[in-house]
Amino acid sequence: MPIGTTVGEFIIRQQADFPHATGELSSLLSSIELAAKIVNREINRAGLSHHILGSMGQTNVQGEEQQKLDWYANEQFKLALAARGEVCGLASEEEEEFVAFDPLQGRHSKYVVLIDPLDGSSNIDVNVSVGTLFSIYRRLTPVNTPVQQQDFLQTGRAQVAAGYIIYGSSTMLVYSTGRGVNGFTLDPSIGSFCLSHPQMQIPPQGRIYSINEGNYLKFPAGVKQYLKFCQAIDAHEGRPYTARYIGSLVADVHRNLLKGGIYLYPSGSNAPQGKLRLLYECNPLALLIEQAGGLATDGVTPILDLQPQALHQRTPFYAGSREMVLQLQQLLAQYGH
């Protein structure tokens, strides 16, 4: 596919990727693209529009302070996904329960969407990159019946498509349908996402590790040993590695996807189950990382094989270049995870 192909053209040409769809999934992805453009506009205006900055003065279901842009992005993606009738329900990091869409409008809908509308939104105030994460699944319950929680509690292997939008110095849409990973950059002059990073591959070995080392004392022993490994001098292996931690999950993973590296968010004494959400954050990123040739694990089990038990389930998350993740797993098995 030539560089510059719009995401709409790309989806149409790749329609064969969706053997069970007759245009619905293409339309669904277009809905996500549209909402991303609207959110991108508000993010770019955030410094001038103080009504959209700062806290809502309340916490979300995660117990985290909800930002105004969190709420705004959540509403935009809900509206866009409900409008076309391909989606029967949505689960969001910002919603306590899943949202069932109008059964009449979506009576033939086959898909559910799980979304983190705006990851890293607290960084908006200081002009740091943020992102949106999404997962698409075929529903398990019969079409023409009310959507159920079981439709959302599927393993990551069942994802039909997944991806993220990163709002940074340029705005990019990166997604996979299980046949590789492709990246599209928003061209403001025409208002379209255009193919800029075809068939993305993460280098098997990187030189970057990304972790909040401020929590070092709370980390499992295996993670502490891995950090010592990263920081040790070894000219042959190119160590010490470089520490790079932005604090926006999408931005950290995006950089490592392009340049090689490993992202670590372990469990700890303050978060025994880990902090990242399996369904909204880890599953979509794990699909992209695996499709790009890397690995994603909770330290023992591949992320995509974990069976969710709850909508807002958390998990430790380690993802990135294959050789780096394998080295980490070896130390976790030896010293504890």
Side-chain angles (χ1 to χ4, degrees), residues 288-299:
L288 295 173
I289 290 291
E290 282 202 8
Q291 284 293 311
L295 294 175
T297 175
D298 68 352

Side-chain angles (χ1 to χ4, degrees), residues 38-54:
I38 296 172
V39 172
N40 178 70
R41 180 192 64 198
E42 291 304 308
I43 290 173
N44 286 339
R45 294 177 61 243
L48 301 172
S49 303
H50 297 292
H51 70 281
I52 205 71
L53 284 175

Side-chain angles (χ1 to χ4, degrees), residues 58-269:
Q58 62 192 36
T59 58
N60 62 16
V61 65
Q62 314 294 337
E64 299 165 344
E65 190 172 42
Q66 190 175 42
Q67 304 294 313
K68 292 177 183 177
L69 268 172
D70 287 326
W71 176 85
Y72 179 83
N74 191 59
E75 292 304 304
Q76 293 305 315
F77 279 99
K78 274 201 300 187
L79 288 170
L81 290 167
R84 300 198 188 187
E86 281 81 20
V87 180
C88 58
L90 172 140
S92 167
E93 183 180 318
E94 299 301 323
E95 306 275 355
E96 185 170 359
E97 304 291 343
F98 67 83
V99 177
F101 291 153
D102 185 343
L104 294 178
Q105 185 172 357
R107 60 186 178 277
H108 300 304
S109 56
K110 302 174 184 176
Y111 300 98
V112 295
V113 173
L114 297 100
I115 194 163
D116 181 350
L118 202 60
D119 170 75
S121 56
S122 61
N123 280 330
I124 287 285
D125 292 3
V126 291
N127 206 20
V128 172
S129 297
V130 295
T132 296
L133 293 139
F134 63 89
S135 285
I136 302 171
Y137 293 83
R138 285 178 61 85
R139 64 182 300 179
L140 297 176
T141 53
V143 173
N144 240 338
T145 65
V147 65
Q148 303 291 330
Q149 183 155 301
Q150 70 186 85
D151 293 312
F152 299 93
L153 298 183
Q154 302 185 53
T155 68
R157 297 278 176 212
Q159 291 176 102
V160 174
Y164 61 78
I165 300 100
I166 180 168
Y167 311 99
S169 54
S170 61
T171 299
M172 282 188 66
L173 165 65
V174 178
Y175 83 95
S176 176
T177 58
R179 290 170 172 80
V181 180
N182 291 281
F184 301 80
T185 299
L186 181 62
D187 183 345
S189 67
I190 61 174
S192 295
F193 285 96
C194 299
L195 182 64
S196 55
H197 295 69
Q199 292 299 313
M200 298 168 71
Q201 287 287 302
I202 185 169
Q205 176 65 55
R207 296 287 181 267
I208 297 171
Y209 69 96
S210 309
I211 189 171
N212 183 359
E213 290 191 73
N215 291 324
Y216 180 86
L217 295 178
K218 303 171 184 177
F219 292 158
V223 173
K224 292 178 180 178
Q225 288 297 321
Y226 183 72
L227 295 182
K228 291 179 181 178
F229 171 83
C230 291
Q231 295 161 359
I233 296 174
D234 188 318
H236 177 70
E237 294 188 2
R239 287 184 283 134
Y241 297 153
T242 299
R244 291 285 184 270
Y245 187 70
I246 298 169
S248 288
L249 173 63
V250 171
D252 278 307
V253 172
H254 180 71
R255 180 201 55 244
N256 291 356
L257 180 61
L258 292 174
K259 295 189 173 183
I262 184 170
Y263 179 90
L264 307 93
Y265 210 119
S267 59
S269 56

